[in-house]
């Protein structure tokens, strides 16, 4: 998944990360990487959902909290971000 993202092949990355999520649904990094892809492709609502999944599994991930705030801001829902 990450190689597809880093090589600019977003659709390949999405497909690989989707498979990774199926194989390792409890892995927070998979959900986080999916969220990054969603933000990069202008899909912030899907990013928030993926980040919520990641944060349920790893609540102390500061990068995920930060990216969630950015995605909420893109949606005009910054008031939902914890202070």
């Amino acid at each position: 998944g990450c190689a597809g993202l880093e090589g600019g092949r977003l659709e390949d990355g999405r497909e690989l990360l989707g498979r990774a999520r199926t194989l390792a649904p409890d892995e927070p990094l998979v959900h986080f990487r999916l969220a990054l892809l969603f933000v990069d492709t202008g899909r912030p609502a899907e990013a928030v959902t993926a980040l919520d999944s990641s944060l349920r599994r790893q609540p102390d991930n500061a990068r995920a909290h930060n990216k969630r705030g950015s995605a909420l801001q893109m949606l005009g829902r910054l008031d939902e971000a914890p202070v």
Side-chain angles (χ1 to χ4, degrees):
C2 298
L5 288 174
E6 292 164 1
R9 298 181 319 268
L10 296 177
E11 190 55 36
D12 291 345
R14 187 199 60 75
E15 183 180 326
L16 292 171
L17 286 167
R19 276 193 261 155
R21 183 177 51 187
T22 299
L23 295 171
D26 293 326
E27 176 55 50
L29 183 59
V30 171
H31 297 276
F32 180 74
R33 289 287 187 157
L34 271 169
L36 295 180
L37 183 139
F38 290 141
V39 167
D40 288 347
T41 56
R43 296 157 48 189
E46 291 173 88
V48 170
T49 300
L51 289 161
D52 287 344
S53 293
S54 179
L55 287 165
R56 275 194 299 279
R57 292 158 177 83
Q58 189 179 28
D60 60 342
N61 184 334
R63 290 180 60 208
H65 282 286
N66 185 355
K67 190 56 77 172
R68 185 176 184 275
S70 297
L72 287 170
Q73 184 176 21
M74 291 171 72
L75 292 166
R77 297 173 23 200
L78 195 54
D79 59 317
E80 295 177 36
V83 177

